[in-house]
Amino acid sequence: MRALLLAAGMGSRLRPLTDTTPKCLVPIHGRPLLDYWLDLVFEGGIERALVNTHWLSEQVEAHIAASPWRARIDLVHEQELRGTGGTVLANRDWFQDSAFMVAHADNLTDFDVPALIDAHSNRPAGHLMTMLGFRTDDPSSCGILELDRDGTVLAFHEKVANPPGNLANGAVYIFEQAVIGDIARLGKDAVDLSTEIIPNYLGRILCVETHGYHRDIGNPASLLRARVEFPLGSCKVRERERAEARAEPLSEPLGAVRR
């Protein structure tokens, strides 16, 4: 499976930090956020990752060029931001007609990548999407989910006052190819997944709740909490332990960074 890591955002709520540092390179315990994501997806079995860039893109490109995972990473620059769904549509050929992962790489997380992929492979009939869910301590700032007993998403409340619960959309998805067709039918370049696509799939989305760490670091308070709460190296260590328990070591990386 391939994964799109959405990393082009300007991080305006984190200014002045993000005036000079891309949001995806904001450090947690001295490591850029993007490095946690690269370890997470590649150690979890993802074959290749596509990272989109926009704000301070030269820094992101230079960082990836020096990454030990660079041979398995492709880059695409957006002169104008396309929105989350627009980026999926613009890069539809890169997904090679297969199911694929899309993740907002501005969250700090250590979710179980193979478990999400396995859940999607065994999803109920008719479901075209699998979504990561997490328990939030700030429900009104998130998209809150309502599920049936089998984990199917029945309702989605995007950043509303007094939401009915605290199970939130973790902004990590596995999509079937049919989702790209639905994005294309909107007939525009810039599309938002949360407001324009996901609500159309209610009753056809499987939710998998993570019991690990998951937090949006989009404002100074949440960034500070993440730096206090997230154990040093926990993402890499936990995923390595899971990988070792499941399978043989991954083969050598293939390919090259696309400019």
Side-chain angles (χ1 to χ4, degrees):
M1 183 172 288
R2 292 184 164 202
L4 168 62
L5 301 182
L6 296 163
M10 299 177 67
S12 57
R13 292 178 297 160
L14 281 174
R15 287 176 173 162
L17 174 60
T18 48
D19 285 339
T20 55
T21 301
K23 186 177 180 182
C24 67
L25 298 186
V26 167
I28 310 290
H29 298 312
R31 297 189 72 214
L33 177 62
L34 184 60
D35 284 359
Y36 288 100
W37 273 101
L38 296 175
D39 285 349
L40 183 71
V41 297
F42 290 129
E43 292 179 1
I46 292 295
E47 173 199 3
R48 295 193 69 80
L50 178 65
V51 178
N52 69 329
T53 66
H54 174 72
W55 178 245
L56 301 176
S57 58
E58 297 86 356
Q59 291 187 40
V60 181
E61 292 169 2
H63 185 78
I64 288 176
S67 169
W69 299 111
R70 59 189 175 275
R72 293 166 68 176
I73 304 168
D74 296 313
L75 288 164
V76 59
H77 181 71
E78 296 182 5
Q79 193 65 35
E80 300 291 335
L81 289 173
R82 297 177 175 271
T84 50
T87 298
V88 170
L89 180 61
N91 295 282
R92 63 187 310 172
D93 292 341
W94 184 85
F95 299 114
Q96 298 186 330
D97 295 323
S98 299
F100 56 95
M101 182 178 292
V102 177
H104 291 223
D106 53 2
N107 296 316
L108 179 64
T109 185
D110 61 0
F111 78 95
D112 191 333
V113 174
L116 189 68
I117 295 172
D118 289 345
H120 184 77
S121 297
N122 296 287
R123 68 195 183 279
H127 288 48
L128 296 178
M129 183 186 309
T130 298
M131 171 190 293
L132 184 74
F134 76 105
R135 297 291 171 174
T136 177
D137 51 19
D138 187 12
S140 63
S141 72
C142 301
I144 297 300
L145 309 173
E146 292 186 70
L147 313 180
D148 68 11
R149 65 178 62 188
D150 298 318
T152 295
V153 180
L154 300 179
F156 183 58
H157 307 272
E158 180 65 21
K159 299 178 182 177
V160 299
N162 303 312
N166 68 345
L167 180 63
N169 176 6
V172 178
Y173 315 100
I174 298 178
F175 292 150
E176 289 296 306
Q177 281 284 314
V179 176
I180 300 181
D182 288 342
I183 297 172
R185 276 187 279 276
L186 292 178
K188 54 184 184 178
D189 293 332
V191 178
D192 182 76
L193 290 173
S194 295
T195 60
E196 298 180 87
I197 299 299
I198 292 172
N200 300 329
Y201 283 87
L202 295 177
R204 296 182 292 165
I205 305 171
L206 175 66
C207 177
V208 176
E209 182 179 347
T210 178
H211 298 288
Y213 191 84
H214 195 92
R215 182 175 292 282
D216 176 8
I217 63 150
N219 61 63
S222 60
L223 175 59
L224 178 60
R225 289 195 64 171
R227 287 171 169 169
V228 170
E229 296 168 345
F230 195 69
L232 179 62
S234 64
C235 172
K236 187 172 183 178
V237 170
R238 291 179 195 176
E239 279 304 305
R240 179 179 293 119
E241 289 174 348
R242 290 167 181 158
E244 290 173 350
R246 279 190 317 272
E248 295 295 325
L250 293 170
S251 59
E252 288 297 315
L254 302 173
V257 176
R258 184 181 67 187
R259 294 294 182 185

